[in-house]
């Protein structure tokens, strides 16, 4: 239902960056300082006809299961959206993105049902599909999307977590939410149930604005204020902004996998350049 440049010595990073006519992009994913396996998956792809697709997924269910779930989510959504018609309307973008995420839910749930090693696997997902500089964000779980404009950060997604529901109902304060012992408990995830609801919201980027997609390995330890300072810095290249966000998460302990994806609306581009290569989630 639709409602290769290592950034630190403690583990490998996966880097990629590129440009199209309007959107400059970069992403980086790092295992962190504690975990042995990176269960995050990330993709940014410049599609034909001026579309840009970005996906971040944070897997859960154990090393094999979490890695598999996030990989299947990214792979399925990317394949479903690989050949879009030109000039799709905004309503059309909303529909195709939502349908692709729902298809990923079916694929993950089916795989988990047929292999006991993958039992109870699931993943978060936050994805964006842009036509030039506007489109839709779809998400399930607690991976987040932010928009940064002149250093001001606007959160575009609402966490599907137990503690967020407690906060919205007035049962806990915002301060208690941040330190709650059940902060990692999701009430909605991709692939854990036959049916799931995808939250979809429109997004538009003006010149100089940046869209950030990230896993909670970034959003938990790094404050919104620091995100705004770094991403909003006009003198930093986009890949340096991504690297500084990663370094802040690592300096804060690097307790989780860390994934950052940035999309910057630029007025001009020099051409195409590519490099690089209720669930308890603890």
């Amino acid at each position: 239902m639709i409602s290769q440049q290592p950034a630190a010595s403690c583990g490998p990073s996966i880097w990629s960056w590129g440009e199209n006519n309007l959107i400059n992009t970069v992403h980086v994913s790092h295992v962190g300082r504690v975990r042995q396996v990176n269960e995050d998956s990330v993709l940014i792809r410049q599609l034909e006809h001026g579309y840009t697709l970005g996906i971040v997924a944070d897997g859960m269910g154990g090393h094999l299961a979490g890695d598999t779930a996030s990989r299947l989510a990214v792979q399925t959504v990317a394949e479903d959206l690989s050949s879009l018609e030109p000039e799709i309307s905004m309503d059309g973008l909303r529909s195709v993105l939502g349908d692709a995420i729902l298809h990923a839910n079916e694929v993950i749930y089916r795989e988990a049902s047929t292999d006991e090693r993958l039992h109870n696997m699931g993943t978060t997902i936050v994805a964006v599909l842009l036509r030039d500089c506007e489109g839709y964000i779809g998400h399930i779980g607690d991976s987040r999307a932010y928009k940064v404009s002149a250093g001001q950060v606007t959160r575009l997604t609402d966490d599907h977590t137990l503690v967020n529901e407690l906060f919205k109902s007035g049962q806990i304060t915002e301060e208690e939410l941040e330190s709650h012992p059940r902060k990692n408990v999701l009430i909605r995830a991709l692939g854990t149930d036959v049916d799931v609801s995808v939250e979809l919201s429109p997004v538009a980027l003006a010149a100089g604005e940046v869209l950030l997609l990230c896993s909670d390995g970034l959003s938990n330890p790094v404050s919104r204020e620091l995100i705004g300072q770094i991403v909003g810095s006009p003198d930093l290249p986009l890949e340096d902004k991504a690297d500084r966000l990663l370094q802040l998460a690592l300096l804060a302990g690097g307790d989780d996998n860390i994934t950052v994806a940035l999309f910057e609306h630029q007025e001009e581009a020099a051409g195409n350049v590519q490099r690089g290569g209720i669930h308890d989630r603890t």
Side-chain angles (χ1 to χ4, degrees):
M1 171 174 50
I2 296 177
S3 74
Q4 289 298 331
Q5 176 179 329
S9 60
C10 60
S13 298
I14 301 170
W15 273 89
S16 180
W17 55 97
E19 295 176 352
N20 71 6
N21 289 334
L22 285 175
I23 304 295
N24 185 24
T25 66
V26 61
H27 67 74
V28 61
S29 189
H30 195 287
V31 70
R33 297 189 183 275
V34 174
R35 304 204 175 189
Q36 299 301 307
V37 174
N38 191 348
E39 296 179 60
D40 288 359
S41 294
V42 58
L43 173 143
I44 296 177
R45 183 169 292 170
Q46 311 290 358
L47 307 175
E48 292 182 339
H49 311 304
Y51 299 109
T52 302
L53 173 65
I55 314 166
V56 170
D58 179 359
M60 60 189 188
H63 290 173
L64 174 63
D67 173 68
T68 300
S70 67
R71 176 178 53 81
L72 286 173
V74 168
Q75 177 181 304
T76 303
V77 172
E79 288 179 354
D80 284 4
L81 300 177
S82 61
S83 300
L84 297 175
E85 296 295 323
E87 300 298 327
I88 297 176
S89 67
M90 285 291 286
D91 284 345
L93 292 178
R94 182 183 190 277
S95 179
V96 296
L97 178 59
D99 287 347
I101 293 173
L102 290 180
H103 184 207
N105 187 73
E106 295 174 8
V107 169
I108 297 166
Y109 186 81
R110 184 172 61 247
E111 288 292 318
S113 301
T114 57
D115 187 339
E116 64 179 26
R117 297 174 302 168
L118 305 178
H119 182 62
N120 285 333
M121 77 171 172
T123 184
T124 70
I125 189 168
V126 59
V128 63
L129 179 60
L130 298 172
R131 187 190 66 195
D132 295 328
C133 58
E134 62 179 358
Y136 264 87
I137 292 168
H139 93 285
I140 297 171
D142 62 354
S143 294
R144 292 182 179 178
Y146 298 92
K147 183 163 74 170
V148 182
S149 179
Q152 299 300 308
V153 182
T154 303
R155 190 164 131 197
L156 304 179
T157 53
D158 197 33
D159 291 348
H160 300 140
T161 60
L162 173 63
V163 293
N164 194 42
E165 291 301 307
L166 295 174
F167 169 68
K168 290 192 294 183
S169 65
Q171 297 181 60
I172 62 173
T173 66
E174 186 171 2
E175 291 74 20
E176 290 171 326
L177 183 153
E178 292 302 322
S179 59
H180 199 281
R182 303 194 71 190
K183 185 177 181 180
N184 288 327
V185 177
L186 299 180
I187 59 171
R188 197 187 308 182
L190 191 71
T192 56
D193 296 288
V194 175
D195 297 312
V196 70
S197 178
V198 184
E199 192 165 333
L200 292 154
S201 55
V203 62
L205 295 176
E209 292 184 334
V210 179
L211 175 68
L212 163 65
L213 307 183
C214 65
S215 63
D216 64 348
L218 177 77
S219 59
N220 278 344
V222 180
S223 70
R224 190 181 303 191
E225 291 74 21
L226 282 174
I227 290 173
Q229 289 175 24
I230 292 169
V231 179
S233 174
D235 299 324
L236 278 180
L238 197 64
E239 57 267 28
D240 290 350
K241 294 177 182 180
D243 185 51
R244 290 197 184 185
L245 291 176
L246 170 62
Q247 296 301 330
L248 282 176
L250 290 170
L251 286 171
D255 295 338
D256 203 350
N257 307 146
I258 306 154
T259 298
V260 175
L262 296 175
F263 307 76
E264 179 182 53
H265 182 190
Q266 54 186 1
E267 293 182 288
E268 296 181 358
N272 291 332
V273 180
Q274 300 247 1
R275 293 191 203 177
I278 286 173
H279 312 286
D280 192 347
R281 304 186 326 99
T282 55

